[in-house]
Amino acid sequence: MSDSSQLPKIIVIGAGGVGVIGALSLYYKGLSNVSLVIRSDYDLVDKRGYKITSCDYGQFENWKPHHVYRTVEDASESGQFFDYIVVTTKNIPDGPAHSAVSQVIRPLIDNNHKLGEGCQTNVLLMQNGIDIEKEIWNLFDRKQYHLNVLSGIQLIGSTKVAPGVIDQVGRDNLIVGAFERENKDAINAAKKFVELYHNEGKNCAEFDENVRYSRWKKLLYNAAINTTTALVGLDVPRCLEFGVDRKSTEENIFKPAMREIVAIAATENVLLDESLITFFVEITRHIMFKPSMCVDHEKGQLMELEVILGNPLKIAKNNGVQTPVLSMLYYLLVVAQGRLREKNGLLKFDESKAELVDSVQSL
Ligand SMILES: CC(C)(CO)C(=O)C(=O)O
């Protein structure tokens, strides 16, 4: 067996269902040295590892990657250069400032810059939404930091069901590409990651030639279905079946919302075929499935609202596209997010005056 310390080093940030199965896939392949940042379950996992039930890999009782860290700061002080920084946390620009992706990865980027002058750092964003790369590009000079920002789009059904316990019920399907289509280093880094991640006969992992297209395509589902199910707190089949004559959710919400995404994407020169609308309406019609935004809302956690709806709506506004359905979903969800932000101390409401008094961004 090869000495894992000589292999490319990958750190996965975010130890939810997606992050742990991601780390397991890399570890299973055996071609990289895998670290995982585990915030809440660190003590438990450090002691006895994860209990995993995975439809891709089977049963594990005490699994751990090569290294586990409690914080990103601890990882950055380990003296290691990380070739890939994989972010699997939710992307929530309207959340606490310290949890913005650019802030979370900063210690690792700075440490890599110090350790490996001239070596490439690859940041892979395994997250939903549109324009998520821009926050990183705006904060770090890509040339100075030798930084490639990569896109990971994943379809997976995997949940942390208890501390240190992961249940993967839906197979892992990942596509990885470069946000900059002309950047050869980034393209090669994306292809290399696919090699390190793909386990023949277990998971699916492929190179994504056209990240922008793939992100708009996935947004068809996320913008229409994640949002609606989050608002009503129902799984997809109930959300469809409980509509007027069992049809109104599909006919009056999902499909019109998706048509608006097709129209916005077209103004960005991304052509989404109309047949994708039916494909995405059907894909979870008969599966007892709740999209991540619905689950987050139910758990009282902030939702990925801005990257899924806010950013596409900004593009629509700039490009003069009418979006009555998406805008209504957005405005309702902004209010719902307000409830979560208030609960998390990010908004302050003065009941004696019945008005919002302050917008506190916790640092
Ligand atoms: C595609 C899907 C529905 C599951 O991976 C998703 O992106 C989500 O739930 O956020």
Side-chain angles (χ1 to χ4, degrees):
M1 198 174 145
S2 54
D3 173 5
S4 73
S5 64
Q6 302 306 312
L7 299 172
K9 293 192 173 60
I10 304 185
I11 183 159
V12 179
I13 304 174
V18 169
V20 175
I21 297 300
L24 175 63
S25 300
L26 292 160
Y27 184 90
Y28 194 94
K29 183 68 178 268
L31 295 182
S32 59
N33 182 294
V34 187
S35 297
L36 180 63
V37 179
I38 308 170
R39 245 181 347 168
S40 48
D41 305 344
Y42 177 83
D43 289 325
L44 181 79
V45 173
D46 190 38
K47 210 156 124 200
R48 71 143 173 78
Y50 278 103
K51 179 172 165 35
I52 301 176
T53 307
S54 160
C55 58
D56 286 341
Y57 299 101
Q59 195 78 27
F60 297 81
E61 283 305 321
N62 306 103
W63 179 79
K64 261 202 282 189
H66 299 102
H67 307 277
V68 289
Y69 296 104
R70 193 188 295 276
T71 63
V72 168
E73 284 74 13
D74 288 352
S76 71
E77 283 159 18
S78 68
Q80 299 188 71
F81 181 96
F82 292 101
D83 300 278
Y84 290 89
I85 301 168
V86 181
V87 186
T88 68
T89 55
K90 296 279 158 58
N91 194 316
I92 304 182
D94 51 337
H98 65 81
S99 68
V101 175
S102 53
Q103 292 308 320
V104 171
I105 62 174
R106 184 184 264 293
L108 293 168
I109 304 264
D110 284 340
N111 185 58
N112 266 8
H113 189 51
K114 221 167 50 201
L115 290 176
E117 269 296 336
C119 294
Q120 273 181 49
T121 297
N122 302 296
V123 173
L124 169 57
L125 301 177
M126 267 166 65
Q127 299 175 312
N128 284 324
I130 285 288
D131 283 346
I132 54 175
E133 69 283 14
K134 295 199 170 145
E135 179 198 327
I136 318 285
W137 287 352
N138 289 340
L139 205 71
F140 301 102
D141 182 321
R142 275 167 275 170
K143 280 219 166 70
Q144 187 193 348
Y145 285 92
H146 302 279
L147 192 66
N148 297 318
V149 186
L150 311 178
S151 160
I153 302 181
Q154 197 179 33
L155 296 178
I156 186 170
S158 180
T159 318
K160 189 176 94 175
V161 288
V165 184
I166 304 290
D167 226 344
Q168 186 203 352
V169 294
R171 303 204 64 181
D172 183 8
N173 192 322
L174 176 71
I175 53 174
V176 178
F179 281 106
E180 297 171 280
R181 282 186 84 181
E182 310 301 326
N183 180 338
K184 288 211 170 61
D185 288 339
I187 291 169
N188 289 337
K191 287 184 175 163
K192 176 81 188 163
F193 188 87
V194 169
E195 266 172 53
L196 302 176
Y197 192 91
H198 184 216
N199 289 297
E200 192 63 45
K202 304 279 181 201
N203 65 357
C204 293
E206 274 177 18
F207 174 64
D208 182 1
E209 303 254 359
N210 189 345
V211 162
R212 191 85 180 150
Y213 170 82
S214 307
R215 289 206 158 258
W216 278 105
K217 179 176 157 191
K218 189 174 182 208
L219 203 65
L220 285 169
Y221 189 99
N222 294 144
I225 301 185
N226 286 36
T227 52
T228 308
T229 53
L231 276 170
V232 298
L234 288 174
D235 52 72
V236 182
R238 282 192 177 83
C239 198
L240 284 161
E241 290 287 300
F242 289 179
V244 177
D245 295 333
R246 302 162 77 176
K247 282 198 161 34
S248 60
T249 305
E250 172 177 349
E251 295 303 330
N252 302 88
I253 306 175
F254 286 1
K255 285 183 170 170
M258 290 188 194
R259 279 187 212 111
E260 289 177 11
I261 291 291
V262 172
I264 309 169
T267 63
E268 295 277 287
N269 296 319
V270 174
L271 300 181
L272 299 171
D273 197 276
E274 285 277 323
S275 62
L276 288 169
I277 293 180
T278 314
F279 172 77
F280 281 121
V281 171
E282 295 307 320
I283 192 169
T284 46
R285 185 191 287 278
H286 300 294
I287 301 176
M288 297 308 298
F289 171 72
K290 284 182 180 169
S292 58
M293 192 184 264
C294 176
V295 174
D296 287 338
H297 195 195
E298 267 180 8
K299 285 188 177 163
Q301 288 167 189
L302 292 169
M303 299 173 281
E304 288 187 305
L305 178 58
E306 292 307 316
V307 297
I308 284 179
L309 271 186
N311 289 349
L313 286 173
K314 276 184 206 139
I315 297 171
K317 194 167 173 212
N318 279 338
N319 298 355
V321 183
Q322 297 296 307
T323 54
V325 178
L326 291 176
S327 295
M328 183 57 79
L329 290 171
Y330 177 65
Y331 293 131
L332 287 169
L333 281 163
V334 166
V335 180
Q337 184 92 317
R339 188 169 62 82
L340 303 172
R341 297 180 76 220
E342 183 185 19
K343 208 184 103 205
N344 284 282
L346 297 168
L347 285 184
K348 224 172 173 181
F349 190 81
D350 182 346
E351 291 198 353
S352 69
K353 292 189 185 146
E355 64 182 30
L356 197 59
V357 284
D358 205 0
S359 178
V360 260
Q361 270 289 341
S362 67
L363 294 172

